[in-house]
Amino acid sequence: MLSADVSKYRSYSSILVLILFVLASAAMYAPSFYRSFASDDYCTLDFLQEGKSILMPGFFRPVGDLTLKWTLDIAGYKPFYFFVVNAVLHG
């Protein structure tokens, strides 16, 4: 019975640590939530929007391009959602 209580406590503490990291990340990234895209972001998003491939020529960052593609598909060209996804993933 004691081991079940310890396991339950560890589970709750792990969730609490995750939530704290996400909140800390959101607090650090909050000033950038309402900024616009940078110039090279438009090139990347246009390339991903065309749907040819998630791998851009000259770059190898498949995970980053996948998250950009998914966010673009869900939210469109709204920078706020890209910054929120980055804050959550970095948390």
Side-chain angles (χ1 to χ4, degrees), residues 2 4 11 14 19-20 22 30-31 40 47 58 70 72 78 82 84:
L2 183 60
S11 165
S14 297
I19 290 171
L20 288 174
V22 169
D40 64 335
F47 184 84
W70 291 336
L72 180 63
K78 297 176 185 148
F82 288 87
V84 169

Side-chain angles (χ1 to χ4, degrees), residues 21-70:
F21 272 101
V22 169
L23 289 175
S25 176
M28 288 188 304
Y29 279 93
S32 69
F33 282 169
Y34 296 101
R35 298 182 69 190
S36 181
F37 292 120
S39 61
D40 64 335
D41 293 336
Y42 288 106
C43 297
T44 304
L45 294 174
D46 288 341
F47 184 84
L48 293 172
Q49 186 67 34
E50 291 173 6
K52 295 178 184 173
S53 171
I54 63 160
L55 300 175
M56 290 185 59
F59 291 104
F60 185 73
R61 53 179 192 192
V63 175
D65 287 345
L66 262 178
T67 59
L68 287 174
K69 174 73 171 145
W70 291 336

